[in-house]
Amino acid sequence: MVMMVTEVAAVNKQQVSTASAQSKILVDDLNLFYGEKQALFNVSLDIKEKEVTALIGPSGCGKSTFLRTLNRMNDLIDGVRVSGNITIDGEDIYASNDVIKLRTKVGMVFQKSNLFPMSIYDNVAYGPRMQGIKNRKVLDALVEESLRGAAIWDEVKDRLKTSALGLSGGQQQRICIARTIAMKPDVILMDEPTSALDPISTLKVEELITQMKKDYTIVIVTHNMQQAARISDKTAFFLNGEVVEYDDTNVIFSTPKDQRTEDYVTGRFG
Amino acid sequence: MATQHTKEVEQQISKGNARKYFFEKLSSKIFLACALLSVISLLLIVGFVFYKGANPFVTGDYSFLSFIFGSEWVPSEDKFGIFPMIVASIYATMGALVIGVPVGLFTAIFLAEIAPKRVAKIVSPAIQLLAGIPSVLYGVFGLAIIVPFLQDNLGLARGQSLIAVILVLAIMMLPTIVTIAETAIRAVPKSYREGSLALGVSEIGTIFKVVVPAAKSGIMAAIVLGLGRALGETMAVILVAGNSLIIPTSLTDSIRPLTTNIALEMGYAAGTHLEMLFATGIVLFSFILILNFVLARLTAKGGH
C-alpha cells in the first residue's frame, strides 16, 4: 500500500515543473468557531501559485471548513467567527466585506453537482451574465472557451440548449467546473469533487485538474488518498481541526515526519 | 403437563389473533367512512346547487346566455342578468392580485431568505394568525378604517367601492400566498444558493435568478390559491362593496360581486328568484373549478 502510493507520488513529482513557486494564499494562525465550538486551531498554510494543494484527513477534521474560509462561504452560516489572517495575492480577504469580488476571484466546485435547473449554456453563462455581460458573441465565446477548458465541449456542443440536469453525474461535475472557469478566477476550490462519481468519470476530472493547474491555483479536499497522491503537488493533513503536517505530496506519502500522518496515509485509521 | 400448558397458550394466541383481525377490518371501515363523508358532501352540495340552479334554464324558458350577459338584475320584474356581478368579481379579484401578489411574494422571500431567524419567528406566526381572523372582522375593519379613509381622501359620497374591496381582499389573500410561497422557496435546495453565491453573485441576484425560478411552480400555486380565496370571499366583501348593481367603470364605483349577491338575497328569495341565486352559485363554482384545474396543472408540472 505504502509502496504503491509512493510510486504514484514519485511519478507525479516529475511532472512538477517549477520547484519554488510563488505564494498565492497565505494563511496565518487561523482559528474558526461555530458558536462556542472551535473547528479550526491555529491553521497556517502557504499555498503556492499554479499548484494543486490537497487537503486530506478523516471526516469532521475541518478540511472542508478550512476550504470554505478561502472564499468566505462560511459567512452563510449563523454564528461563525474567524480569527487570524488569510491573504490572497497579499490582500487580506477578511479586511473588506466585498465577498462578491472575492468569490469571482476564488471559484468553487462542490461535492455534488449543483447545476441550476437551466440549459447547459445558461448554466455556464450565468456568472458572466450576472456580472453584466450581455453581448451575445462575447457570451458564446466565453461559454465555448469554458466548456473546452473543462474538457466537455465535444460532449455537449450539440445540445447546449438542453437542460443541464439531463447529463450524467461526471458530465455535470465538469459543467460545474466550466461554470467556475467562466468567471476567470485565479483560484479554484474543490470540495471532494469526485466523491459522487464513478471511477471513469473520476479519472476524467482528475486529468482535467492536472491540466488546469497551468492556469489556476487549485485547492482540493479529498477523501481519496490515491487521488491526493496522483494529482497534488502539496498535501496538508488535517486532524481535529489542526494541520498536523504540510509538505510536498511525495514527502507526505513516503517519509512523513509525524507518526499520525504516517498512520493515516498507510490506512491505519480514518 | 407441558403439552397442556402449550395448548392453552396456542388457544389464547389464536383467539387474540381473531380479535385483532376483527378490529383491523373494523377500523379500516371507519376510516373509509370518514374519508367518504367529504366526498359525499361535495357531491351533495354540487348536485344540489346544479339541480336548483339549472332548473330555470331547463324547465323554465330563461336563456342561460342572457343570464350570463344580461346587465339587469331586477327580480321583481323577472329580470335576471348577472353580467355586472361577474365583472365586479373579476375586477375585485384581479385588483387584489395586483397588490397581494407582489407584497405576498416579497414577504415570503424576506421570511425564507433574508430575515434573521429571530425576526422570521415573530413575523411568520403573525401572518399565519392573519389567516385565522374571521372574515367578518376583516369586513368590520374595512368598514371602520378603509371606507372612511377613502371617503375622506378621495372625496367620495360613499367609501364603499371597488377599491375598498380590493384592499380588503389583498390583505386577506396575503397569508395564503405568503405561507405557500415561503414553503416553496424554502424547499429549493441549499446547493443552488451556494452554487450561485460561490460564483460571486449577490444574495438578491441569487434569489431572483436562481431561487425564485426554481420555486416557480410552488409560487404559482400560492397565487392561484390566493385567487380562490379572494374570489370566494363573501362576508368581508358585503360590508365594504356597496352592493350597487352596476358594471363598475372606475375604482371608486360601488360593486356587487357574485358571492354577495347570493348572500344578500338568499334570505328572502323564493321561486325563480331563489333558483337564479343558485345559478349564480353555479357560475361562481365554475370559476373556482377553473382555478383548481389550473392549480392541478401547475403542481403536476412542478412534480417532475
Side-chain angles (χ1 to χ4, degrees), chain A residues 68 71 73 76 78 100 103-104 106 108 110 114-118 126 130-131 179-180 183, chain B residues 117 190-206 209-210 213-214:
Chain A
R68 283 161 175 260
N71 67 345
M73 286 301 274
L76 304 179
D78 282 340
I100 291 175
R103 289 175 189 155
T104 53
V106 183
M108 186 164 198
F110 295 81
N114 54 358
L115 291 176
F116 308 128
M118 316 170 177
Y126 173 78
M130 293 301 283
Q131 293 292 326
R179 187 173 70 179
T180 307
M183 294 301 293
Chain B
K117 265 187 196 141
K190 218 177 106 208
S191 63
Y192 287 177
R193 287 181 193 92
E194 287 192 329
S196 174
L197 293 170
L199 287 166
V201 175
S202 67
E203 285 190 38
I204 297 295
T206 299
K209 292 292 172 179
V210 172

Side-chain angles (χ1 to χ4, degrees), chain A residues 60-83:
Chain A
C61 67
K63 54 194 191 302
S64 283
T65 300
F66 170 71
L67 192 75
R68 283 161 175 260
T69 60
L70 300 179
N71 67 345
R72 295 187 56 174
M73 286 301 274
N74 284 326
D75 289 16
L76 304 179
I77 304 164
D78 282 340
V80 167
R81 267 182 314 121
V82 176
S83 75

Side-chain angles (χ1 to χ4, degrees), chain A residues 1-7 225-226 253 264-267:
Chain A
M1 175 75 185
V2 187
M3 281 302 294
M4 193 191 81
V5 172
T6 312
E7 278 167 18
M225 274 176 287
Q226 281 89 340
F253 283 97
Y264 185 72
V265 298
T266 53

